[in-house]
Amino acid sequence: MKTKRRTLIVLLVFVLAAGAALALLTHANQKAEQAASEAEDGSIPLLDVTTATLESVSIQYGGETLTLRPSDDGWTLTEDPAYHLDDSACNTIRTALAGMKAKRQLEAQPGEDYGFDAPQLVVNVSAAGESTTLTVGAENPVTGDVYVRREGGDAVYTVDAARFRCMEQTKAELFGAFSPAGITVSNIEAVRYTLQSGETIKLQSVSQPTEADSTTYQTVWQLTDEPDAALDTGKTDALLAALAGYVTGQDTAADLSACGFDAPLVTAEVTTADGTVTLTYAIGTNGYYMMVSGDSSVYTVDGQTVQALCLTARQLKADT
């Protein structure tokens, strides 16, 4: 009986010991996984910045310096306040900077410049009244990390290169497409446009019943001077879409002559319930451009937009 009891006690001790060993092993594995995760994501603080405390970020890239400032109304480019930035792209940059951490801290070796003599990026971050400058050097071809140095220090850090990819954009690439005239197809009531030839075409929208004696109405476009002429709806739809379309670029200090505004292709007066705005389209040395009344910027548009607007009254008709 005593022998059996001793055997049970030994077995119980063995089970308890095995359980303790398993618990220690599980804990060790969890710590190892956590350490691996931290190594992958970075655990060495580089910037004391959050999305809420960021005041500005100045990026030197591709020969340009762009200083981006957030506000309640979106982002502003300090070097060109009238420039329309892509708020989404700027928000991505802010997110990448928030709580940025390095994977490793290295002691700079003599004779190694780590790409800092010709850096990919120089990023100055202002947050909560403090300013920090990061110089981004070469990329390690094995790990895919970039070498980073903080101004005022000699240490070299390695950071996931993906953190900085969103900052490798020129001013043109940070442009946010939009409609500078602020009009939509649905709120256009009338259009009067003049071609380079001197011909002026006037269009107006009218409500007509969908069928005889119908109480349901639809909007129909017609030539003001020839209201009975049937129009090609595909062409009129394209014309209206072109007037309300988004621009693809902006120059706040363009040479108007070089952009062709001395002899514009078409000038359109667009009337909505809010009033009338004038859009002028031209062809220049590098493409097609548009200007909006009350706005000194020159905007880039595609050729299809301009072609949709350069139709004569005869070409708008359904039988042509």
Side-chain angles (χ1 to χ4, degrees), residues 27-296:
H27 180 68
N29 287 338
Q30 289 174 341
K31 293 290 286 184
E33 290 174 0
Q34 180 180 354
S37 176
E38 290 178 353
E40 181 180 352
D41 296 336
S43 58
I44 305 170
L46 271 184
L47 292 173
D48 186 15
V49 178
T50 68
T51 55
T53 61
L54 180 71
E55 296 168 353
S56 70
V57 52
S58 182
I59 303 171
Q60 296 178 36
Y61 172 73
E64 295 180 316
T65 298
L66 305 177
T67 304
L68 313 175
R69 291 183 178 275
S71 71
D72 293 339
D73 298 326
W75 288 80
T76 302
L77 181 63
T78 300
E79 291 80 9
D80 192 353
Y83 195 75
H84 195 272
L85 290 169
D86 183 340
D87 287 341
S88 177
C90 294
N91 287 336
T92 299
I93 292 173
R94 177 169 57 185
T95 300
L97 291 169
M100 180 177 284
K101 295 180 180 180
K103 293 183 179 180
R104 298 174 60 203
Q105 179 176 337
L106 310 174
E107 183 177 343
Q109 299 299 310
E112 292 285 347
D113 68 13
Y114 301 94
F116 296 137
D117 285 346
Q120 300 181 44
L121 292 165
V122 177
V123 183
N124 178 269
V125 181
S126 295
E130 299 292 331
S131 179
T132 304
T133 299
L134 302 178
T135 300
V136 183
E139 182 173 332
N140 186 309
V142 177
T143 65
D145 299 331
V146 289
Y147 298 107
V148 178
R149 184 172 61 194
R150 200 160 45 187
E151 186 178 43
D154 296 325
V156 176
Y157 301 90
T158 62
V159 181
D160 185 355
R163 280 276 188 167
F164 294 99
R165 291 281 185 253
C166 59
M167 303 175 207
E168 297 176 349
Q169 298 190 75
T170 63
K171 178 181 177 181
E173 290 169 332
L174 278 174
F175 175 74
F178 76 121
S179 174
I183 58 178
T184 62
V185 171
S186 61
N187 66 13
I188 299 176
E189 298 177 351
V191 178
R192 182 181 187 274
Y193 66 96
T194 302
L195 302 176
Q196 195 174 50
S197 63
E199 180 182 357
T200 296
I201 298 95
K202 291 180 286 185
L203 295 164
Q204 63 182 5
S205 64
V206 295
S207 292
Q208 294 181 348
T210 55
E211 297 178 359
D213 300 325
S214 174
T215 58
T216 304
Y217 287 79
Q218 63 182 348
T219 298
V220 176
W221 283 88
Q222 59 184 214
L223 290 168
T224 303
D225 297 331
E226 299 180 66
D228 294 331
L231 300 182
D232 185 322
T233 57
K235 292 179 180 178
T236 55
D237 287 348
L239 184 148
L240 297 171
L243 292 169
Y246 280 19
V247 296
T248 58
Q250 179 182 11
D251 190 339
T252 58
D255 182 337
L256 300 186
S257 295
C259 294
F261 286 101
D262 288 343
L265 296 175
V266 58
T267 300
E269 297 176 3
V270 184
T271 300
T272 68
D274 297 324
T276 299
V277 61
T278 300
L279 310 180
T280 306
Y281 298 83
I283 183 171
T285 53
N286 294 314
Y288 294 92
Y289 304 97
M290 181 189 76
M291 293 189 73
V292 182
S293 55
D295 186 345
S296 60

